[in-house]
Amino acid sequence: MRVAVVGAGGWGEHHARIFSRREDTELVAVVGRTPDRTRARADKYGTTPYTDLDLMLERERPELITVCLPNEEHYEVTLKLVHTGIPLLVEKPLVFDLAEADTLLNDAGGNFFAINFNHRYAEPVQRAKALIDAGELGDLIFATWRFGGEANHGNSPHANLIETQCHGFDMLEHLVGPISAVSAHMTNKTYGAFSTIALALDFENRAVGTMLGTYDSSYAYPDTQHIEINGTEGRLVIHDTVRALTFSKPGDPVEQRWHSTYFDDESRTFAATFDRHVDALLQSLKAGNPPPVPAEAGRRALQLAHAAIESHKTGRRVST
């Protein structure tokens, strides 16, 4: 399968790495805005650099395009690519504006349009999902998401909420179920943007939850990413997305713990969660099935973020 990568930035390197090394894909192009940087990326992965998107589309005729651009600059390029009808994988966030999200989804129609919520493919997350689906936690009662590190400054005052905590919205709904209402508190005390947010959540299944997301912390701290889910029959905790999963039963002081083994480097590597997502994505694409994580999931995370913004502005609980 002929694959083109649009974006020559930091995480975009993982796009190039994955599709240049798979036996079932050929990386035919890297598209960037800066000629020297784009050429260096293309040279590293043995492909052709382009700074002209139209020229790349004409010459290379890719069968899949992946997009990894600066967080607040997704819309115009994504819309252009949606109109080509070529299968598309985009990085989160989908966009910052709900009307733009709706335009992208409407114009894509039934075309293959995926978003990279790669946290779903971490080994602890997949094991947690299996425990929940098997009923090992009983009825789910409450869930907690905490995630934060150093600031990623942007133009939007809600950059942390939309571009980073979108993983939290997606993960909690993936594991617990649809969120039905949001109540929000936010602070902009450090550098002017709402860099730390605290949310209270209601789920449709009558569970409750909390989210704490921040750009006023550090990714060096242990458990900077932490998910806890409690049910009537058990409790699980996901540590730092890929590091470990613990599972406990009521009244039992001995917990079960999964961690990657000595030779299992792949499952302890955060970047490998993207490789796993690509495995599932290509399998679906080749079979003519919808994406395993459709772009609609990006729109849903954005909807929840906008509900949190409305709650903070009005001081009210907002239905989602």
Side-chain angles (χ1 to χ4, degrees):
M1 184 174 291
R2 296 171 61 78
V3 182
V5 171
V6 177
W11 186 253
E13 178 151 18
H14 291 291
H15 288 242
R17 171 186 62 79
I18 290 170
F19 292 105
S20 68
R21 295 179 183 177
R22 293 182 64 98
E23 294 182 355
D24 58 352
T25 59
E26 177 189 2
L27 180 63
V28 297
V30 169
V31 183
R33 295 176 296 181
T34 307
D36 289 346
R37 185 172 187 173
T38 306
R39 186 180 307 109
R41 177 65 50 78
D43 288 348
K44 182 175 181 179
Y45 292 101
T47 191
T48 305
Y50 289 90
T51 54
D52 186 321
L53 181 58
D54 290 323
L55 182 62
M56 184 280 290
L57 292 169
E58 177 185 347
R59 288 184 176 176
E60 302 298 345
R61 301 190 179 278
E63 298 164 287
L64 172 67
I65 300 174
T66 75
V67 182
C68 186
L69 296 173
N71 286 309
E72 296 180 51
E73 299 176 23
H74 288 189
Y75 178 65
E76 290 185 3
V77 171
T78 304
L79 183 63
K80 184 184 188 73
L81 292 172
V82 158
H83 288 160
T84 69
I86 299 169
L88 191 60
L89 167 66
V90 298
E91 279 296 336
K92 59 79 194 171
L94 181 60
V95 283
F96 276 61
D97 181 85
L98 275 170
E100 292 180 351
D102 289 338
T103 297
L104 291 174
L105 293 171
N106 181 69
D107 288 12
N111 291 334
F112 192 96
F113 188 14
I115 191 167
N116 185 30
F117 280 139
N118 55 300
H119 284 229
R120 293 194 192 190
Y121 289 89
E123 185 71 20
V125 173
Q126 296 201 322
R127 288 174 178 267
K129 184 76 163 76
L131 287 170
I132 292 168
D133 290 348
E136 293 291 335
L137 273 71
D139 290 331
L140 302 184
I141 306 301
F142 69 90
T144 293
W145 162 277
R146 187 181 73 238
F147 186 38
E150 290 80 8
N152 182 17
H153 297 286
N155 294 320
S156 170
H158 298 289
N160 175 53
L161 176 66
I162 293 174
E163 70 190 26
T164 297
Q165 305 313 322
C166 59
H167 282 298
F169 289 126
D170 182 71
M171 187 60 57
L172 287 175
E173 291 207 322
H174 178 60
L175 295 174
V176 181
I179 294 167
S180 59
V182 175
S183 300
H185 295 267
M186 307 181 187
T187 182
N188 59 356
K189 68 182 294 184
T190 53
Y191 59 89
F194 291 105
S195 52
T196 294
I197 56 103
L199 309 180
L201 310 172
D202 290 323
F203 292 88
E204 284 187 7
N205 61 12
R206 298 176 61 207
V208 295
T210 63
M211 282 183 63
L212 179 64
T214 183
Y215 278 164
D216 299 312
S217 184
S218 174
Y219 293 113
Y221 296 160
D223 267 354
T224 192
Q225 197 278 321
H226 177 98
I227 302 171
E228 177 182 340
I229 300 176
N230 282 252
T232 56
E233 300 296 330
R235 168 188 185 259
L236 63 81
V237 180
I238 297 168
H239 304 269
D240 286 331
T241 310
V242 296
R243 183 162 59 87
L245 168 70
T246 57
F247 176 62
S248 305
K249 301 294 283 186
D252 187 350
V254 180
E255 70 178 15
Q256 300 177 41
R257 180 181 178 88
W258 174 89
H259 64 276
S260 56
T261 57
Y262 182 81
F263 291 109
D264 187 13
D265 291 329
E266 183 270 343
S267 66
R268 72 169 66 93
T269 304
F270 179 77
T273 61
F274 186 20
D275 295 66
R276 291 180 171 204
H277 184 191
V278 169
D279 286 341
L281 181 140
L282 290 177
Q283 183 178 357
S284 294
L285 181 56
K286 292 172 185 178
N289 295 327
V293 188
E296 286 88 347
R299 198 269 182 199
R300 174 60 175 169
L302 182 62
Q303 178 194 0
L304 293 168
H306 277 264
I309 294 167
E310 181 184 348
S311 173
H312 175 66
K313 287 180 177 179
T314 63
R316 297 177 179 175
R317 175 176 173 271
V318 174
S319 172
T320 62

